[in-house]
Amino acid sequence: MKKFLLIILFFGIYFSFVSCSNDNDTGTELALQAETFLNVSYGNNPQEKYDLYLPANRSEEKTKIIVLVHGGGWTGGDKADMDFLIPYIKLRHPNHAIVNINYVLADANTPAFPNQFLDLDAVINKLTDEKDELHILPQFGLIGASAGAHISLMYDYAYDLDDQVKMVGDIVGPTDFTDPFYIENPGFQALMDALVDESAYPPGTNYAEVLSPALQVSNVSSPTLLFYGNADPLVPLSNATTLNSALNSAQIDHTLNVYEGGHGDWSNVDIEKMKVQISTYIDNYLVVIN
């Protein structure tokens, strides 16, 4: 009787093992649901936070990331300023993840440069480290406005050594601080002194040059989409044409759009055109492979 019970127990274990193995062999997994994580910390400073929007059915093989970077003159602004793009991106690109970031704003104690570039780097590194947990593919498109566009351009052109960034959307970003518009302004040098951490750069550095994205373009820069106003009181149209020429010389895919108006205060029609062009760039350069 004891021997009979042992035989039954053996076959019970055997068939249980086979059943589990067969279930695993099917590769069937529960589909992941869409998730939102607000104010995720990526550093010790309270301002180092981002909102993360993960799509349903994401995976490490296909789910690339769109990063939104707000403006505000490097000293102000908030990620909420970029919220207007999120519903459109979700609708038009439902298989992409979205990250809307805050960075540490410059003040008397914390310079902007290079700290704000390094904040963006910290976001990208954190998401890369968590790719398996989040089920994302760490390839990125950056979309920045004003100072956020400057940060995005600088990051891609000077800091993205692993080529994780595949496209940049530049909405009225300053691109050339050697432009007479800036260097002939009596307050420009004081602004540079306030924004730059001189200890982070070699002695004698020409900050106007090293902080100008148009002067950092190379043949490994990412495709770039440019949007500027023809009457911008903060970023001259010459900054757009200088970057456009640099991208031409480096043979980087790019498109320059010039709208009627100033620093992003364009017609609703032009804003919609901008969204469509951003969407097209995402389709072309941050394509999801099904």
Side-chain angles (χ1 to χ4, degrees), residues 32 57-64 134-137:
L32 292 169
N57 304 315
R58 60 192 176 275
S59 77
E60 299 91 321
E61 290 77 35
K62 68 177 184 179
T63 306
K64 302 177 184 180
L134 297 174
H135 304 282
I136 55 174
L137 175 60

Side-chain angles (χ1 to χ4, degrees), residues 19-290:
S19 176
C20 291
S21 298
N22 287 340
D23 286 345
N24 290 336
D25 289 344
T26 64
T28 301
E29 296 180 0
L30 292 175
L32 292 169
Q33 301 299 307
E35 292 187 272
T36 297
F37 300 95
L38 301 180
N39 293 313
V40 178
S41 179
Y42 65 89
N44 295 326
N45 191 295
Q47 295 180 65
E48 292 176 315
K49 300 282 179 65
Y50 60 71
D51 298 338
L52 174 61
Y53 303 86
L54 296 173
N57 304 315
R58 60 192 176 275
S59 77
E60 299 91 321
E61 290 77 35
K62 68 177 184 179
T63 306
K64 302 177 184 180
I65 306 106
I66 299 163
V67 182
L68 306 179
V69 189
H70 72 81
W74 305 282
T75 62
D78 185 83
K79 54 186 167 64
D81 300 337
M82 299 298 283
D83 281 350
F84 76 100
L85 280 174
I86 293 173
Y88 179 83
I89 294 172
K90 283 185 172 182
L91 178 65
R92 182 63 181 78
H93 304 281
N95 295 316
H96 286 77
I98 304 169
V99 180
N100 191 11
I101 78 167
N102 272 344
Y103 45 86
V104 179
L105 301 175
D107 59 23
N109 299 313
T110 308
F113 314 130
N115 296 320
Q116 291 174 355
F117 312 141
L118 299 177
D119 273 353
L120 179 51
D121 189 52
V123 171
I124 287 176
N125 287 339
K126 178 177 172 62
L127 292 169
T128 300
D129 290 343
E130 296 176 356
K131 62 184 176 64
D132 294 334
E133 174 187 342
L134 297 174
H135 304 282
I136 55 174
L137 175 60
Q139 295 181 14
F140 300 87
L142 308 180
I143 302 171
S146 193
H150 170 259
I151 294 166
S152 299
L153 292 167
M154 279 296 300
Y155 184 81
D156 179 65
Y157 297 171
Y159 288 82
D160 182 30
L161 302 181
D162 295 326
D163 191 31
Q164 290 182 271
V165 176
K166 303 304 179 183
M167 57 152 283
V168 181
D170 160 24
I171 306 170
V172 297
T175 71
D176 180 15
F177 291 125
T178 70
D179 191 305
F181 178 90
Y182 294 114
I183 60 174
E184 293 178 3
N185 185 316
F188 176 72
Q189 189 55 52
L191 177 65
M192 283 288 102
D193 291 343
L195 291 178
V196 175
D197 179 0
E198 295 185 3
S199 68
Y201 297 92
T205 296
N206 185 327
Y207 299 116
E209 289 183 358
V210 302
L211 296 172
S212 295
L215 306 184
Q216 309 304 317
V217 172
S218 71
N219 61 0
V220 295
S221 298
S222 294
T224 305
L225 187 57
L226 294 73
F227 301 97
Y228 287 87
N230 62 4
D232 193 329
L234 301 177
V235 178
L237 189 57
S238 54
N239 262 216
T241 57
T242 298
L243 178 54
N244 188 65
S245 296
L247 293 166
N248 273 330
S249 297
Q251 298 183 321
I252 302 299
D253 289 344
H254 66 286
T255 305
L256 170 60
N257 302 272
V258 179
Y259 297 140
E260 293 286 336
H263 199 64
D265 55 344
W266 310 319
S267 71
N268 289 336
V269 171
D270 286 338
I271 295 292
E272 291 306 311
K273 287 180 181 177
M274 180 188 74
K275 291 179 181 178
V276 170
Q277 288 213 46
I278 290 172
S279 181
T280 299
Y281 256 58
I282 293 170
D283 282 338
N284 289 343
Y285 300 109
L286 207 66
V287 61
V288 171
I289 301 173
N290 292 319

